[in-house]
Amino acid sequence: MSADRKNHDMTQAEADIALLLADATDGVEIGTAPVQAVLRGGRRRRTRRWAVATATAVVVLAGSAGATLAVTGLPGEHRAQVAHQVSDVTVPQVSELAHGTDQGKRWRVVLSVWAAPRDRAEAAEQLKAMRKFGIDGGALPRLDELVGKTSHYTGLYYGDEPLRPIMFDTVTKWEKLTGHELESAGVPLTEEDGEGANRLVVGMVASTARLVECTFDNGTSHFARPTTAAGSPVSWYVCLAPQGVRPKTAEVVK
Amino acid sequence: MGERKDARDEEFQSFMIGRWPRLLRTAFLLTGEQHAAEDLVQTTLEQVFVAWRRVGSADDPEAYTRRVMINAHARRHRRKLKEFLAPKDDSGLVREVPDTGDRIAQADDRSALLRALAQLPPRQREAVVLRYWEDLTETQTAQAMGCSVGTVKSNAAKGIAKLRAIPGLADMVTQGGRN
């Protein structure tokens, strides 16, 4: 078990698992730390990073023009995307990925992309702006993690409720998705859906993906057309399972 | 300038040597395999080294390192061609209350736990390892995983519930060193 275990309020089951985990690590052969290999690898990465940074600057310029797109979405739901060009680290590029109505309440899924702050001062300003935007404490990165990195947040507005985070990350560069690769996250649409009933699925796919199939546990499926979003090199899709039905899989099919 | 760089390199080296055993153990629980764990820690530390000028002077380089490691681990599991949003074994377990008073039996060999961990989806595995091996708070775990506290709670609870439900693990007899 971790030597400086703080023993936060654990149930017996959790405490047992903690001990089992500690037991399992006894089998690890620690060996000598490969310091020189790590330093060599780090220096290679550093060199590569400069090369990538130069190439990325060109791509950002090419992709920064504003756009208005209309895309189709779920039955009974309308999707539109409004993008605007910004360079201020306190003003995100915001795109609506999908919206609809559920039990008489409107919902919207939005993506906000935040430019990389150049220093701690800019990062501090960005953190403030993120809080103001509605990104809650648990989803906020640390100040130190923001400098030189871009952040993206997908969040859900449901009725009058505050923004609820769905998937988010702070990265030096975006994950490159190709072919049929995808990354998804599911959340309940409403609190009434209950724990584990992640009816709303949001995901990122390669910009070349044209169609995502979401299957549900009642045997039905839904096809979502991925949409581009301002500031994002990947496309995004949204699936919503009917009430009482859970999503099962998501797959790029075209 | 050269001297400062040398000092930074030395500082990183001593950080790395000091943290290597702990990071390797955490990586082992995440990957379930010695070589994969070494590979994960090495990749992580290479990235930390690249950012060391900034990270080394920060309050908590260890937290940064954890975040990098979790990201690297997640990335390896991210390249999916099909996302299983509700695995079959999820049904029923997610509604299970974690503490019903009974006790998990202790595994008499490590492979039972590693097999059980391997059956968890990556995010649940990360949440369990960070919460119950690294002993992080929910907030610290959320920071390391880049998600909300609610997601951590949900993933950790599901992970624990599933571990408890795996016969190979639950059937193990509780040993004396449990207190």
Side-chain angles (χ1 to χ4, degrees), chain A residues 47-224:
Chain A
T47 313
R48 253 195 334 255
R49 194 168 65 157
W50 281 108
V52 170
T54 313
T56 308
V58 176
V59 174
V60 168
L61 280 174
S64 60
T68 301
L69 301 173
V71 290
T72 58
L74 306 168
E77 166 219 329
H78 309 281
R79 302 171 72 190
Q81 174 194 324
V82 179
H84 53 273
Q85 181 182 355
V86 287
S87 55
D88 187 340
V89 298
T90 63
V91 182
Q93 297 184 77
V94 181
S95 303
E96 185 177 277
L97 302 180
H99 70 253
T101 305
D102 176 81
Q103 300 172 75
K105 288 192 175 171
R106 285 186 56 74
W107 60 266
R108 289 196 306 139
V109 174
V110 294
L111 167 73
S112 62
V113 179
W114 302 74
R118 284 168 298 188
D119 51 34
R120 280 178 66 89
E122 279 194 358
E125 287 304 309
Q126 187 173 69
L127 263 186
K128 269 191 229 164
M130 285 174 168
R131 282 196 194 94
K132 203 170 165 190
F133 186 80
I135 297 167
D136 72 16
L140 283 173
R142 283 157 35 99
L143 183 64
D144 296 328
E145 293 168 353
L146 280 175
V147 179
K149 293 182 180 176
T150 176
S151 300
H152 58 270
Y153 295 83
T154 53
L156 167 70
Y157 290 105
Y158 184 85
D160 298 329
E161 293 171 16
L163 183 67
R164 188 144 47 93
I166 303 171
M167 67 194 283
F168 50 90
D169 209 353
T170 296
V171 292
T172 307
K173 59 177 180 166
W174 287 71
E175 185 74 10
K176 190 176 163 76
L177 296 172
T178 57
H180 286 206
E181 292 172 353
L182 80 166
E183 185 187 352
S184 316
V187 292
L189 185 68
T190 71
E191 282 183 9
E192 291 81 60
D193 285 343
E195 175 74 14
N198 300 329
R199 285 171 64 202
L200 182 71
V201 179
V202 176
M204 52 169 84
V205 291
S207 57
T208 51
R210 292 289 165 260
L211 202 61
V212 174
E213 182 183 16
C214 294
T215 63
F216 306 133
D217 68 358
N218 66 352
T220 61
S221 64
H222 169 74
F223 291 92

Side-chain angles (χ1 to χ4, degrees), chain B residues 54-129:
Chain B
R54 191 164 37 82
V55 175
S57 57
D59 294 342
D60 195 354
E62 205 156 340
Y64 178 87
T65 307
R66 262 194 311 262
R67 177 81 193 256
V68 171
M69 187 152 86
I70 293 299
N71 274 344
H73 176 252
R75 209 164 287 136
R76 286 169 195 210
H77 290 276
R78 195 172 281 168
R79 298 190 171 278
K80 292 175 183 171
L81 298 183
K82 188 167 186 174
E83 192 100 49
F84 287 88
L85 301 159
K88 281 176 195 161
D89 57 348
D90 242 342
S91 58
L93 294 175
V94 293
R95 289 184 291 276
E96 191 173 342
V97 180
D99 185 17
T100 53
D102 62 336
R103 300 174 63 154
I104 298 279
Q106 182 177 27
D108 64 353
D109 64 22
R110 293 169 190 118
S111 62
L113 178 70
L114 294 174
R115 275 198 306 272
L117 273 176
Q119 290 178 42
L120 299 185
R123 296 300 270 175
Q124 289 177 19
R125 187 172 181 153
E126 289 163 10
V128 167
V129 170

